[in-house]
Amino acid sequence: MEPAVIAALLVVGLVIGAGVGAAYARAKRGWKDYRTIRTSVPGARRTAWVATRAAITKIGVIALLLVGAAAYAAAGNDHERAGPGPTPTPTPTVTHTPVHRPGR
């Protein structure tokens, strides 16, 4: 064979080999990552549920406080619900009536 053909086949083989090798390394890395993540998922799942329960508890407490505040505001204070108080008795007004004296 001619040296040019051998060089061309060598270059084509190197390019194909580099592509296949990179793909193999990527696949091997992916499987390793998958196995690592698969073993850590139960712990992560537990952590996620703990965080979710904490958030739901906080939201529930805040909602109860808001409902209580709204009920308190809707009920009003005691003065508004007591109704009218005793009616005040009218006080007599003293008016000075001029006295007419003759001769003055």
Side-chain angles (χ1 to χ4, degrees), residues 8 10 17 38 48 56 67 82 87 102:
L10 183 63
R38 188 180 62 187
I56 289 172
V67 168
T87 57

Side-chain angles (χ1 to χ4, degrees), residues 27-82:
K28 193 171 182 179
R29 233 182 0 257
W31 278 106
K32 182 181 176 211
D33 292 346
Y34 169 74
R35 276 188 240 108
T36 303
I37 291 171
R38 188 180 62 187
T39 57
S40 69
V41 164
R45 185 178 295 138
R46 226 171 299 141
T47 303
W49 277 113
V50 167
T52 302
R53 274 188 224 113
I56 289 172
T57 302
K58 288 177 186 177
I59 290 170
V61 168
I62 290 170
L64 285 174
L65 288 173
L66 287 174
V67 168
Y72 180 76
N77 58 19
D78 290 339
H79 298 295
E80 292 173 359
R81 289 185 303 180

